[in-house]
Coordinates of all heavy atoms in Angstrom, one line a residue:
D108 N -41.7 18.0 -18.5 CA -42.0 17.4 -19.8 C -41.5 18.3 -20.9 O -42.1 19.3 -21.2 CB -43.5 17.1 -19.9 CG -43.8 16.3 -21.2 OD1 -42.9 15.8 -21.8 OD2 -45.0 16.3 -21.6
V109 N -40.3 18.0 -21.5 CA -39.8 18.9 -22.5 C -39.7 18.1 -23.8 O -39.0 17.1 -24.0 CB -38.3 19.3 -22.2 CG1 -37.8 20.2 -23.3 CG2 -38.3 20.1 -20.9
Q110 N -40.6 18.5 -24.8 CA -40.7 17.7 -26.0 C -39.6 17.9 -27.0 O -39.3 17.0 -27.9 CB -42.1 18.1 -26.7 CG -43.3 17.8 -25.8 CD -43.5 16.4 -25.6 OE1 -43.1 15.5 -26.3 NE2 -44.2 16.1 -24.4
R111 N -38.9 19.0 -26.9 CA -37.9 19.3 -28.0 C -36.5 18.6 -27.8 O -35.7 18.7 -28.6 CB -37.7 20.8 -28.1 CG -38.9 21.6 -28.6 CD -38.7 23.1 -28.5 NE -38.8 23.5 -27.1 CZ -38.6 24.8 -26.7 NH1 -38.5 25.7 -27.6 NH2 -38.7 25.1 -25.5
I112 N -36.3 18.0 -26.6 CA -35.0 17.4 -26.4 C -35.1 15.9 -26.9 O -36.0 15.2 -26.6 CB -34.7 17.3 -24.9 CG1 -34.6 18.8 -24.3 CG2 -33.4 16.6 -24.6 CD1 -34.3 18.9 -22.9
R113 N -34.1 15.5 -27.7 CA -34.0 14.2 -28.2 C -33.9 13.2 -27.1 O -33.4 13.4 -26.0 CB -32.8 14.0 -29.1 CG -32.9 14.8 -30.4 CD -31.6 14.7 -31.2 NE -31.4 13.2 -31.5 CZ -30.2 12.8 -32.0 NH1 -29.2 13.6 -32.2 NH2 -30.1 11.5 -32.3
R114 N -34.5 12.0 -27.3 CA -34.6 11.0 -26.3 C -33.2 10.6 -25.8 O -33.0 10.3 -24.6 CB -35.3 9.8 -26.9 CG -35.7 8.7 -25.8 CD -36.6 7.7 -26.4 NE -36.9 6.6 -25.4 CZ -36.8 5.3 -25.6 NH1 -36.3 4.9 -26.8 NH2 -37.1 4.5 -24.7
V115 N -32.2 10.5 -26.7 CA -30.9 10.0 -26.3 C -30.3 11.0 -25.3 O -29.6 10.6 -24.4 CB -30.0 9.8 -27.5 CG1 -29.7 11.2 -28.2 CG2 -28.7 9.2 -27.1
W116 N -30.6 12.3 -25.5 CA -30.1 13.3 -24.5 C -30.8 13.2 -23.2 O -30.2 13.5 -22.1 CB -30.2 14.7 -25.1 CG -29.2 15.0 -26.1 CD1 -29.3 15.1 -27.5 CD2 -27.8 15.2 -25.9 NE1 -28.1 15.3 -28.1 CE2 -27.2 15.4 -27.1 CE3 -27.0 15.3 -24.7 CZ2 -25.8 15.7 -27.2 CZ3 -25.7 15.5 -24.8 CH2 -25.1 15.7 -26.0
L117 N -32.0 12.8 -23.2 CA -32.7 12.6 -21.9 C -32.0 11.5 -21.1 O -31.9 11.5 -19.9 CB -34.2 12.3 -22.1 CG -35.0 13.4 -22.7 CD1 -36.5 12.9 -22.9 CD2 -35.1 14.6 -21.7
F118 N -31.6 10.4 -21.8 CA -30.9 9.3 -21.2 C -29.5 9.8 -20.7 O -29.1 9.5 -19.6 CB -30.7 8.2 -22.2 CG -31.9 7.3 -22.4 CD1 -32.3 7.0 -23.7 CD2 -32.6 6.8 -21.3 CE1 -33.4 6.2 -23.9 CE2 -33.7 6.1 -21.5 CZ -34.1 5.8 -22.8
I119 N -28.8 10.6 -21.5 CA -27.5 11.1 -21.1 C -27.6 12.0 -19.8 O -26.8 11.9 -18.9 CB -26.9 11.9 -22.3 CG1 -26.5 10.9 -23.4 CG2 -25.6 12.7 -21.8 CD1 -26.0 11.6 -24.7
I120 N -28.7 12.8 -19.7 CA -28.9 13.7 -18.6 C -29.1 12.8 -17.3 O -28.5 13.0 -16.3 CB -30.1 14.6 -18.7 CG1 -29.7 15.7 -19.8 CG2 -30.4 15.3 -17.4 CD1 -30.9 16.5 -20.2
A121 N -29.9 11.7 -17.5 CA -30.1 10.8 -16.4 C -28.8 10.1 -15.9 O -28.5 10.0 -14.7 CB -31.1 9.7 -16.8
I122 N -28.0 9.7 -16.9 CA -26.7 9.1 -16.6 C -25.8 10.0 -15.9 O -25.1 9.7 -14.9 CB -26.1 8.5 -17.9 CG1 -26.9 7.3 -18.4 CG2 -24.7 8.0 -17.6 CD1 -26.6 7.0 -19.9
T123 N -25.8 11.3 -16.3 CA -24.9 12.3 -15.7 C -25.3 12.5 -14.2 O -24.5 12.6 -13.4 CB -25.0 13.6 -16.5 OG1 -24.6 13.4 -17.8 CG2 -24.2 14.7 -15.8
L124 N -26.6 12.6 -14.0 CA -27.1 12.7 -12.6 C -26.7 11.6 -11.8 O -26.3 11.7 -10.6 CB -28.6 12.9 -12.6 CG -29.2 14.2 -13.1 CD1 -30.8 14.1 -13.2 CD2 -28.9 15.3 -12.1
H125 N -26.6 10.4 -12.4 CA -26.3 9.2 -11.7 C -24.8 9.1 -11.3 O -24.4 8.7 -10.2 CB -26.7 8.0 -12.5 CG -26.4 6.6 -11.9 ND1 -27.4 5.8 -11.5 CD2 -25.2 6.0 -11.7 CE1 -26.8 4.7 -11.0 NE2 -25.5 4.8 -11.1
N126 N -23.9 9.4 -12.3 CA -22.5 9.2 -12.2 C -21.7 10.3 -11.6 O -20.6 10.1 -11.1 CB -21.9 8.8 -13.6 CG -22.2 7.4 -14.0 OD1 -23.1 6.7 -13.3 ND2 -21.6 6.9 -15.0
M127 N -22.2 11.6 -11.7 CA -21.4 12.7 -11.2 C -21.0 12.5 -9.7 O -19.9 12.8 -9.4 CB -22.2 14.0 -11.4 CG -21.4 15.2 -11.1 SD -22.3 16.8 -11.4 CE -22.4 16.7 -13.2
P128 N -21.9 12.1 -8.8 CA -21.5 11.9 -7.4 C -20.3 11.0 -7.2 O -19.5 11.2 -6.3 CB -22.7 11.4 -6.7 CG -23.9 11.8 -7.6 CD -23.3 11.8 -9.0
E129 N -20.2 10.0 -8.1 CA -19.1 9.0 -8.0 C -17.7 9.7 -8.3 O -16.7 9.5 -7.5 CB -19.3 7.8 -8.9 CG -20.6 7.1 -8.5 CD -20.9 6.0 -9.6 OE1 -20.1 5.8 -10.5 OE2 -22.0 5.4 -9.5
G130 N -17.7 10.4 -9.4 CA -16.4 11.2 -9.7 C -16.1 12.2 -8.6 O -15.0 12.4 -8.2
L131 N -17.1 12.9 -8.2 CA -17.0 13.9 -7.1 C -16.4 13.3 -5.9 O -15.5 13.9 -5.2 CB -18.3 14.6 -6.8 CG -18.3 15.8 -5.8 CD1 -17.4 16.9 -6.4 CD2 -19.7 16.2 -5.5
A132 N -16.9 12.1 -5.5 CA -16.4 11.5 -4.3 C -14.9 11.1 -4.4 O -14.2 11.3 -3.4 CB -17.2 10.2 -4.0
V133 N -14.5 10.6 -5.5 CA -13.1 10.2 -5.7 C -12.2 11.4 -5.7 O -11.2 11.5 -5.0 CB -12.9 9.4 -7.0 CG1 -11.5 9.3 -7.4 CG2 -13.6 8.1 -7.0
G134 N -12.7 12.5 -6.3 CA -11.9 13.7 -6.3 C -11.8 14.3 -4.9 O -10.7 14.8 -4.5
V135 N -12.8 14.4 -4.2 CA -12.8 14.9 -2.9 C -11.9 14.1 -2.0 O -11.1 14.7 -1.2 CB -14.2 14.9 -2.2 CG1 -14.2 15.1 -0.7 CG2 -15.1 16.0 -2.9
S136 N -11.9 12.8 -2.1 CA -11.0 12.0 -1.3 C -9.5 12.2 -1.6 O -8.7 12.3 -0.7 CB -11.4 10.5 -1.6 OG -10.8 9.7 -0.6
F137 N -9.2 12.3 -2.9 CA -7.8 12.7 -3.2 C -7.4 14.1 -2.8 O -6.3 14.3 -2.3 CB -7.5 12.5 -4.7 CG -7.2 11.1 -5.1 CD1 -8.1 10.3 -5.9 CD2 -6.0 10.5 -4.8 CE1 -7.8 9.0 -6.3 CE2 -5.7 9.2 -5.1 CZ -6.6 8.5 -5.9
G138 N -8.3 15.0 -3.0 CA -8.1 16.4 -2.6 C -7.8 16.5 -1.1 O -7.2 17.5 -0.7
S139 N -8.4 15.6 -0.3 CA -8.2 15.7 1.1 C -6.8 15.4 1.6 O -6.4 15.7 2.7 CB -9.2 14.7 1.8 OG -8.8 13.4 1.6
G140 N -6.0 14.7 0.7 CA -4.7 14.3 1.1 C -4.6 13.0 1.8 O -3.6 12.5 2.1
H141 N -5.8 12.4 2.0 CA -5.9 11.0 2.7 C -5.8 10.0 1.6 O -6.8 9.4 1.1 CB -7.2 10.9 3.5 CG -7.3 11.9 4.6 ND1 -8.5 12.4 5.1 CD2 -6.3 12.6 5.3 CE1 -8.2 13.3 6.0 NE2 -6.9 13.4 6.2
Y142 N -4.6 9.7 1.1 CA -4.5 8.9 -0.1 C -4.9 7.4 0.1 O -5.3 6.8 -0.9 CB -3.0 9.0 -0.7 CG -2.7 10.4 -1.1 CD1 -1.4 10.9 -1.0 CD2 -3.6 11.2 -1.6 CE1 -1.1 12.2 -1.4 CE2 -3.3 12.5 -2.0 CZ -2.0 13.0 -1.9 OH -1.7 14.2 -2.3
R143 N -4.7 6.9 1.3 CA -5.1 5.5 1.5 C -6.6 5.4 1.3 O -7.0 4.5 0.6 CB -4.7 5.1 3.0 CG -4.9 3.7 3.3 CD -4.5 3.4 4.7 NE -3.2 3.8 5.0 CZ -2.1 3.1 4.8 NH1 -2.2 1.9 4.2 NH2 -0.9 3.6 5.1
E144 N -7.4 6.3 1.9 CA -8.8 6.2 1.7 C -9.2 6.5 0.3 O -10.1 5.9 -0.3 CB -9.5 7.2 2.7 CG -9.5 6.8 4.1 CD -8.2 7.2 4.8 OE1 -7.3 7.8 4.1 OE2 -8.1 6.9 6.0
A145 N -8.4 7.4 -0.4 CA -8.7 7.8 -1.7 C -8.5 6.6 -2.7 O -9.3 6.4 -3.6 CB -7.9 9.0 -2.2
I146 N -7.4 5.9 -2.5 CA -7.2 4.7 -3.3 C -8.3 3.6 -3.1 O -8.8 3.0 -4.1 CB -5.8 4.1 -3.1 CG1 -4.7 5.1 -3.5 CG2 -5.6 2.8 -3.8 CD1 -3.3 4.8 -3.1
Q147 N -8.6 3.4 -1.8 CA -9.7 2.5 -1.6 C -11.0 2.9 -2.3 O -11.7 2.0 -2.9 CB -10.0 2.4 -0.1 CG -8.8 1.8 0.8 CD -9.0 2.0 2.3 OE1 -10.0 2.6 2.7 NE2 -8.1 1.4 3.0
L148 N -11.3 4.1 -2.2 CA -12.6 4.6 -2.8 C -12.5 4.5 -4.4 O -13.4 4.1 -5.0 CB -12.9 6.1 -2.4 CG -14.2 6.6 -2.9 CD1 -15.4 5.8 -2.4 CD2 -14.3 8.1 -2.5
M149 N -11.3 4.9 -4.9 CA -11.1 4.8 -6.4 C -11.3 3.3 -6.8 O -12.0 3.1 -7.8 CB -9.7 5.3 -6.7 CG -9.4 5.2 -8.2 SD -7.7 5.6 -8.6 CE -6.8 4.1 -7.9
L150 N -10.7 2.4 -6.1 CA -10.9 1.0 -6.5 C -12.3 0.5 -6.4 O -12.8 -0.2 -7.2 CB -9.9 0.1 -5.7 CG -8.4 0.3 -5.9 CD1 -7.6 -0.5 -4.9 CD2 -8.1 -0.1 -7.3
A151 N -13.0 1.0 -5.3 CA -14.3 0.6 -5.1 C -15.3 1.1 -6.2 O -16.1 0.3 -6.7 CB -14.8 1.1 -3.7
I152 N -15.2 2.4 -6.5 CA -16.0 3.0 -7.5 C -15.6 2.3 -8.8 O -16.5 2.1 -9.7 CB -15.8 4.5 -7.6 CG1 -16.3 5.2 -6.3 CG2 -16.5 5.1 -8.8 CD1 -17.7 5.0 -6.0
G153 N -14.4 2.1 -9.1 CA -14.0 1.5 -10.4 C -14.5 0.1 -10.5 O -15.0 -0.3 -11.6
I154 N -14.5 -0.7 -9.5 CA -15.0 -2.1 -9.5 C -16.5 -2.1 -9.8 O -17.0 -2.8 -10.7 CB -14.8 -2.8 -8.2 CG1 -13.3 -3.1 -8.1 CG2 -15.6 -4.1 -8.1 CD1 -12.9 -3.6 -6.7
Q155 N -17.3 -1.2 -9.1 CA -18.7 -1.2 -9.4 C -19.1 -0.5 -10.7 O -20.2 -0.6 -11.2 CB -19.4 -0.5 -8.2 CG -19.1 0.9 -7.9 CD -20.0 1.9 -8.6 OE1 -21.2 1.6 -8.8 NE2 -19.5 3.0 -9.1
N156 N -18.1 0.3 -11.2 CA -18.4 0.9 -12.6 C -18.4 -0.1 -13.7 O -19.0 0.1 -14.7 CB -17.3 1.9 -12.9 CG -17.7 3.3 -12.5 OD1 -18.9 3.6 -12.1 ND2 -16.9 4.3 -12.8
I157 N -17.8 -1.3 -13.5 CA -17.8 -2.3 -14.6 C -19.2 -2.8 -14.8 O -19.7 -2.7 -16.0 CB -16.8 -3.4 -14.2 CG1 -15.4 -2.9 -14.1 CG2 -16.9 -4.6 -15.2 CD1 -14.4 -3.9 -13.6
P158 N -19.9 -3.3 -13.8 CA -21.3 -3.7 -14.1 C -22.2 -2.5 -14.5 O -23.2 -2.7 -15.3 CB -21.8 -4.4 -12.8 CG -20.9 -3.9 -11.8 CD -19.6 -3.7 -12.4
E159 N -21.9 -1.3 -14.0 CA -22.7 -0.2 -14.3 C -22.6 0.2 -15.8 O -23.6 0.4 -16.5 CB -22.4 1.0 -13.5 CG -23.0 1.0 -12.1 CD -22.9 2.4 -11.4 OE1 -22.3 3.3 -12.0 OE2 -23.5 2.5 -10.3

Side-chain angles (χ1 to χ4, degrees):
D108 187 16
V109 181
Q110 301 294 334
R111 289 173 293 181
I112 299 180
R113 291 178 58 193
R114 188 170 179 234
V115 66
W116 282 106
L117 294 176
F118 284 130
I119 290 172
I120 293 172
I122 292 165
T123 300
L124 288 173
H125 180 111
N126 283 11
M127 188 177 292
E129 298 171 9
L131 184 65
V133 171
V135 165
S136 193
F137 274 111
S139 72
H141 299 151
Y142 295 148
R143 188 181 304 275
E144 290 83 1
I146 293 170
Q147 292 170 357
L148 184 60
M149 179 187 71
L150 292 176
I152 296 297
I154 289 170
Q155 64 90 33
N156 263 0
I157 297 173
E159 278 195 358

